[in-house]
Amino acid sequence: MELNDREECSGTTNDEDDNNNNSKHNFKVTPWEVEGEIDYNKLITQFGTQPITSEMIERIKHVTGEVHPMIKLRYFFSHRDLDWILNKHEEGESFYLYTGRGPSGMVHLGHVMPWMFTKYLQEKFNSKLLFQLTDDEKFLQTQDRSREDISYYTYENILDIIAVGFNADKTKIIVDTRDIQHLYPIATEIAKRITFSTAKAVFGFSNSTNIGMIGFPPIQSAPCFLPSIIENKPTPVLIPAAIDQDPYWRVTRDVAERMGYYKPAQIHSKFLPGLGMVGKMSSSKPDTALFTIDDPEIIDKKVSSAFTGGQATVTLQRQLGGNALGCPVFWYLRYLFDTEKQSDERLIKCKSGNLLCGECKGDLSKESQIFLVEFKKRRENARDVIAKFMFDGAPYEK
Amino acid sequence: MELNDREECSGTTNDEDDNNNNSKHNFKVTPWEVEGEIDYNKLITQFGTQPITSEMIERIKHVTGEVHPMIKLRYFFSHRDLDWILNKHEEGESFYLYTGRGPSGMVHLGHVMPWMFTKYLQEKFNSKLLFQLTDDEKFLQTQDRSREDISYYTYENILDIIAVGFNADKTKIIVDTRDIQHLYPIATEIAKRITFSTAKAVFGFSNSTNIGMIGFPPIQSAPCFLPSIIENKPTPVLIPAAIDQDPYWRVTRDVAERMGYYKPAQIHSKFLPGLGMVGKMSSSKPDTALFTIDDPEIIDKKVSSAFTGGQATVTLQRQLGGNALGCPVFWYLRYLFDTEKQSDERLIKCKSGNLLCGECKGDLSKESQIFLVEFKKRRENARDVIAKFMFDGAPYEK
């Protein structure tokens, strides 16, 4: 079942006309800020990306023999040139994956989800992966983060990345300040082709933006072209990442061909909702995020306190049914733990008043704890293999 | 004799009122552009620097026991905190020197002059020196320079730098793209403290400036603070450089104390005039510049064709005298080869019509050739010792 996840949020209904109800879509998405209730269809128009259509899903099925639930359920809902990447694959040309993380805090399930999908892509397409940690960006972004804090989070985040289970022979983690000598030459080539006008329009820079942030985007663009340098030939790249990072790839795509590279293709995810009333899961609202290092009792407590789409009382819930599509607990379960069949049944039972919030919360708490017990073990083991994953500018093992 | 070098340029006289003759001072000085006839006194006001006064010269004499001709003749004419640096020296606190070069072409005598003075300072104050080559800036600055060309000039320029005769145990050459891992962490700390507003005002950036150039200044600022990192304590730095680089040090000084460092002090040189009618010696006007790799016959040819302050005919010259202060040949000889006494005599003889241009050109050609024969030998020998001079992030030999 295809669900448009935010249409029923906050008690609004499908009957309302989008165009006459702007306040309903009062949202903001930039690489540094995600605010409000996001209308993902509007975002596709606004950013100029392509929706993942039923035809695209058929095409994926034709190429890979299956469709990953995160695509089927439209957690990955938008793309650029995904069809082109599939063509390249069918023509026998292998492509790199590239994704990243800004290490400004600990990792939560909202971060892990697209990484799990990236791991799936790596296995399915036998792809090499570059994973960038933008410690420089997180240092430049605000005046109050110390380099020591960012170094700490960088190390801790690397444990999470490795814990996802990427192929050690085909994955290299780049830390910007550590690996700047490999990024800088490409970044300057990109930077000289982007004017302040363009950067201002795409990223929303203003007179009060610091020049480090203005100069930063090419550092995030650089790994799009590193594969071509490593492989010594133009090499396709697919970027699985949340839609808020799209501005980076837009400017990168604009300069790619002039530099003799392919435009990077992308597949965009939605944000995993936080456990609060509105907004994505965020490290800056720790009570509404399930961190990978959270102890079971913390997970249980956070899930118990979660906002849901349920009615005020059990009686009302039985009588009126719940608003599953506006319920973060529902979406957590749907994206992460339920099968599609389970999730569709959960939706019907909730809407008809045959399911109480406590049951869903119980399922989410239990499943999260099971998931995180295993994840934490891999996370601990990761400490011993970090060196193997770190980028050193040298080609991958062939 | 103190001479105000540009007052008599282009046939204007001292009688004219500056304020009523703006066209006379139609000049532009930025780190990337030096145009027109420069009024150095106005530049001091415009940039907010301090003139090198007679009192300052007395102070220098008191500290060092002598006054270098380039200061006495006001080739170095302006400063920031030079008195503070002298205080530090007297208090027994040693300071670093830092200067640089943008490797966009071959080196000419206009470049070598401040480097010779820097070498003198190194000897006199027993200072360690950082010498930065901004290959990244020169790549970012225009679309038409290839990285290969810049690499070529970088290598060739390093030979010239070493040929100047800096102390190999106390001099480290930084090449930005080569040594970016040592510059980048400091550069991001600087960059986050400079807004686009400030950078726009100081450097003249506009909407059409590329974001690489906007992000670049902190890379040139970084070596101001490297000495404090190398020495593991706040360490004073004196920058001898042409006045056009002052905007960099202005923004650096603004952020220095907030970062826990001393403000870098500076001593600013004028530009060595080109051999043409107007403007500084420039690689972009090769016929008017004496390059260190020029053969003797080329030097002779360039000097023979030089613009001078002489009259149209020998008879007129004898009758009216020449305009020595508007004559690049005079200034070359004064700054580089004449003693002050010789130069003052040359001035008097020229103005009184007792000296013909051919004689001055003959002197300049001969002296340049003698200088460059020796320089070229040292330049060739430099090829074998490059490695010893290159920065590697490690502390200097103590």
Side-chain angles (χ1 to χ4, degrees):
Chain A
M1 195 192 294
E2 258 185 62
L3 300 179
N4 197 345
D5 51 351
R6 279 301 180 185
E7 279 189 0
E8 294 200 17
C9 282
S10 306
T12 58
T13 74
N14 286 331
D15 300 327
E16 291 175 20
D17 181 347
D18 278 3
N19 297 323
N20 294 332
N21 186 16
N22 286 330
S23 65
K24 183 180 158 195
H25 299 298
N26 194 5
F27 63 90
K28 184 175 179 184
V29 176
T30 77
W32 307 286
E33 218 175 350
V34 176
E35 266 181 11
E37 291 174 24
I38 295 141
D39 182 325
Y40 288 105
N41 291 329
K42 283 210 170 174
L43 217 46
I44 285 176
T45 313
Q46 195 178 312
F47 282 6
T49 65
Q50 301 297 315
I52 295 203
T53 58
S54 311
E55 292 72 39
M56 175 58 79
I57 287 185
E58 280 309 304
R59 173 110 177 75
I60 293 167
K61 201 168 178 180
H62 174 77
V63 175
T64 66
E66 64 188 27
V67 180
H68 189 281
M70 289 194 203
I71 290 189
K72 195 159 180 229
L73 298 175
R74 300 299 203 283
Y75 171 66
F76 280 88
F77 73 106
S78 158
H79 74 97
R80 291 183 193 269
D81 282 346
L82 184 56
D83 39 351
W84 172 81
I85 277 282
L86 294 173
N87 289 344
K88 287 287 176 190
H89 172 76
E90 286 192 311
E91 290 161 11
E93 199 171 336
S94 58
F95 64 86
Y96 269 59
L97 295 163
Y98 161 38
T99 193
R101 154 92 183 132
S104 57
M106 298 303 285
V107 161
H108 56 63
L109 289 183
H111 301 128
V112 172
M113 265 188 70
W115 302 351
M116 287 165 64
F117 180 68
T118 303
K119 172 179 176 282
Y120 166 82
L121 291 176
Q122 178 174 61
E123 287 166 359
K124 202 73 204 168
F125 293 97
N126 195 26
S127 292
K128 293 171 183 170
L129 165 66
L130 293 177
F131 203 119
Q132 181 185 39
L133 284 142
T134 56
D135 60 339
D136 47 353
E137 176 206 14
K138 290 301 160 190
F139 180 68
L140 288 165
Q141 197 185 344
T142 68
Q143 300 300 326
D144 55 1
R145 273 189 206 122
S146 73
R147 206 177 283 285
E148 291 66 32
D149 281 355
I150 293 171
S151 291
Y152 169 77
Y153 290 132
T154 299
Y155 177 81
E156 291 293 322
N157 291 183
I158 286 172
L159 299 180
D160 288 298
I161 294 162
I162 295 173
V164 168
F166 295 113
N167 182 336
D169 293 331
K170 290 180 165 285
T171 302
K172 289 294 174 196
I173 297 171
I174 294 168
V175 176
D176 285 354
T177 55
R178 175 185 178 276
D179 298 308
I180 189 65
Q181 70 271 33
H182 302 297
L183 302 173
Y184 194 63
I186 315 172
T188 48
E189 290 212 42
I190 297 164
K192 73 190 277 182
R193 291 173 168 87
I194 303 172
T195 64
F196 182 66
S197 280
T198 301
K200 194 163 62 169
V202 173
F203 295 101
F205 294 145
S206 71
N207 276 339
S208 63
T209 308
N210 75 58
I211 58 174
M213 286 301 282
I214 296 171
F216 169 74
I219 302 286
Q220 183 156 331
S221 300
C224 296
F225 304 141
L226 260 183
S228 298
I229 291 166
I230 294 168
E231 303 293 332
N232 203 24
K233 63 176 183 191
T235 302
V237 170
L238 174 64
I239 306 170
I243 185 82
D244 60 336
Q245 299 299 301
D246 182 71
Y248 286 112
W249 322 132
R250 229 178 298 156
V251 295
T252 312
R253 288 168 60 87
D254 278 350
V255 302
E257 288 177 346
R258 276 182 285 158
M259 292 172 62
Y261 301 117
Y262 291 131
K263 293 179 178 188
Q266 298 137 64
I267 181 162
H268 304 115
S269 80
K270 298 174 181 171
F271 310 108
L272 194 57
L275 295 173
M277 276 193 68
V278 85
K280 68 166 187 172
M281 184 170 281
S282 167
S283 318
S284 61
K285 290 178 267 181
D287 285 349
T288 68
L290 303 179
F291 292 98
T292 60
I293 56 157
D294 278 346
D295 286 332
E297 54 273 28
I298 299 287
I299 296 285
D300 199 55
K301 200 175 151 214
K302 285 181 179 175
V303 174
S304 297
S305 315
F307 170 80
T308 70
Q311 303 294 343
T313 65
V314 172
T315 313
L316 280 173
Q317 176 84 357
R318 297 276 184 218
Q319 199 178 323
L320 303 172
N323 174 17
L325 299 185
C327 175
V329 175
F330 171 79
W331 287 106
Y332 254 88
L333 286 163
R334 183 169 180 90
Y335 285 150
L336 265 175
F337 303 120
D338 283 350
T339 62
E340 189 179 1
K341 188 161 170 284
Q342 284 172 325
S343 181
D344 287 350
E345 283 170 11
R346 188 185 296 278
L347 175 68
I348 291 163
K349 280 175 74 181
C350 170
K351 290 180 97 165
S352 61
N354 291 313
L355 188 63
L356 296 182
C357 296
E359 197 173 326
C360 289
K361 283 179 173 177
D363 290 347
L364 179 57
S365 179
K366 191 187 74 190
E367 295 292 344
S368 298
Q369 288 175 49
I370 292 169
F371 176 84
L372 288 177
V373 163
E374 284 308 307
F375 194 88
K376 271 189 214 172
K377 279 185 202 159
R378 295 202 300 274
R379 201 176 177 284
E380 279 311 302
N381 295 337
R383 293 182 198 275
D384 302 326
V385 294
I386 288 181
K388 177 140 178 66
F389 278 89
M390 298 310 289
F391 187 74
D392 55 9
Y396 288 62
E397 293 174 33
K398 299 281 180 184
Chain B
M1 197 192 295
E2 256 186 61
L3 301 178
N4 197 345
D5 53 350
R6 278 304 180 184
E7 279 189 0
E8 294 200 18
C9 283
S10 307
T12 58
T13 74
N14 285 331
D15 298 327
E16 292 174 20
D17 181 349
D18 278 5
N19 296 324
N20 294 332
N21 186 15
N22 285 329
S23 66
K24 184 180 157 193
H25 299 296
N26 194 6
F27 62 90
K28 184 176 181 183
V29 175
T30 78
W32 307 286
E33 218 175 350
V34 176
E35 266 182 11
E37 290 173 25
I38 296 141
D39 182 325
Y40 288 105
N41 291 328
K42 284 211 168 173
L43 216 48
I44 284 176
T45 313
Q46 194 178 313
F47 282 6
T49 64
Q50 301 297 314
I52 295 204
T53 58
S54 309
E55 291 73 38
M56 175 57 79
I57 287 186
E58 280 309 305
R59 173 110 176 74
I60 293 168
K61 202 169 175 178
H62 174 76
V63 175
T64 66
E66 64 187 27
V67 181
H68 190 280
M70 288 193 204
I71 290 190
K72 192 156 183 233
L73 297 175
R74 301 297 204 284
Y75 171 65
F76 279 89
F77 72 107
S78 157
H79 75 97
R80 290 182 194 269
D81 281 346
L82 185 56
D83 39 352
W84 172 81
I85 277 281
L86 294 173
N87 289 344
K88 286 286 175 191
H89 173 75
E90 285 192 312
E91 290 161 11
E93 199 171 337
S94 58
F95 64 87
Y96 270 57
L97 295 162
Y98 161 39
T99 192
R101 154 91 184 131
S104 57
M106 298 303 285
V107 160
H108 55 63
L109 288 184
H111 301 126
V112 171
M113 265 187 70
W115 302 350
M116 287 165 62
F117 180 69
T118 304
K119 172 180 176 283
Y120 166 81
L121 291 176
Q122 179 173 61
E123 287 166 359
K124 202 73 204 168
F125 293 95
N126 196 24
S127 294
K128 293 172 182 170
L129 165 66
L130 294 176
F131 203 118
Q132 181 184 41
L133 285 142
T134 56
D135 59 338
D136 46 354
E137 177 207 15
K138 290 300 160 188
F139 181 68
L140 289 164
Q141 195 185 345
T142 67
Q143 300 300 326
D144 55 1
R145 275 190 205 121
S146 73
R147 206 177 282 284
E148 291 67 32
D149 281 354
I150 292 171
S151 292
Y152 169 77
Y153 290 132
T154 300
Y155 177 81
E156 292 292 322
N157 291 182
I158 287 172
L159 299 180
D160 288 298
I161 293 162
I162 295 173
V164 168
F166 294 113
N167 183 336
D169 292 331
K170 290 180 164 283
T171 302
K172 289 293 176 199
I173 297 171
I174 294 169
V175 176
D176 285 355
T177 55
R178 175 186 178 276
D179 298 308
I180 189 67
Q181 69 272 33
H182 302 296
L183 302 173
Y184 194 63
I186 315 171
T188 48
E189 290 212 42
I190 298 164
K192 74 190 278 183
R193 292 171 166 88
I194 303 172
T195 63
F196 182 64
S197 280
T198 300
K200 195 163 60 168
V202 174
F203 295 101
F205 294 146
S206 70
N207 276 339
S208 63
T209 308
N210 74 59
I211 58 174
M213 284 303 281
I214 296 171
F216 170 74
I219 302 286
Q220 183 156 331
S221 300
C224 296
F225 304 140
L226 260 183
S228 297
I229 292 167
I230 294 169
E231 303 294 331
N232 203 24
K233 63 175 183 192
T235 302
V237 170
L238 174 65
I239 307 170
I243 185 81
D244 59 336
Q245 299 299 301
D246 182 71
Y248 287 110
W249 322 131
R250 228 178 299 159
V251 296
T252 312
R253 287 169 60 89
D254 278 350
V255 303
E257 289 177 346
R258 274 182 286 158
M259 291 173 64
Y261 301 117
Y262 291 131
K263 292 179 178 187
Q266 298 137 63
I267 180 163
H268 304 115
S269 80
K270 298 175 180 171
F271 310 108
L272 193 57
L275 295 172
M277 276 193 69
V278 85
K280 69 166 185 171
M281 186 171 279
S282 165
S283 318
S284 62
K285 290 177 268 180
D287 286 349
T288 70
L290 303 179
F291 291 100
T292 60
I293 56 157
D294 278 345
D295 287 331
E297 54 273 28
I298 300 285
I299 296 286
D300 198 54
K301 202 175 148 211
K302 284 180 180 176
V303 174
S304 298
S305 315
F307 170 78
T308 70
Q311 303 294 342
T313 65
V314 171
T315 312
L316 280 172
Q317 176 81 357
R318 296 278 185 215
Q319 201 179 325
L320 304 172
N323 175 16
L325 299 184
C327 175
V329 174
F330 171 79
W331 286 106
Y332 253 89
L333 285 164
R334 184 170 179 91
Y335 284 149
L336 266 175
F337 303 119
D338 283 350
T339 62
E340 189 179 2
K341 187 159 169 284
Q342 284 173 325
S343 181
D344 287 351
E345 284 170 8
R346 189 185 295 279
L347 175 66
I348 292 164
K349 280 175 75 182
C350 170
K351 289 180 100 167
S352 62
N354 290 313
L355 188 63
L356 297 182
C357 296
E359 198 174 325
C360 288
K361 284 179 172 176
D363 290 348
L364 179 57
S365 177
K366 191 186 76 192
E367 295 293 346
S368 300
Q369 287 176 49
I370 293 169
F371 176 85
L372 289 177
V373 163
E374 283 309 307
F375 194 89
K376 270 188 214 174
K377 279 184 202 160
R378 295 201 301 274
R379 201 177 178 284
E380 279 311 301
N381 294 338
R383 292 181 198 275
D384 301 327
V385 294
I386 287 181
K388 176 137 179 68
F389 278 90
M390 297 311 289
F391 187 75
D392 55 10
Y396 288 63
E397 292 173 34
K398 299 280 180 186

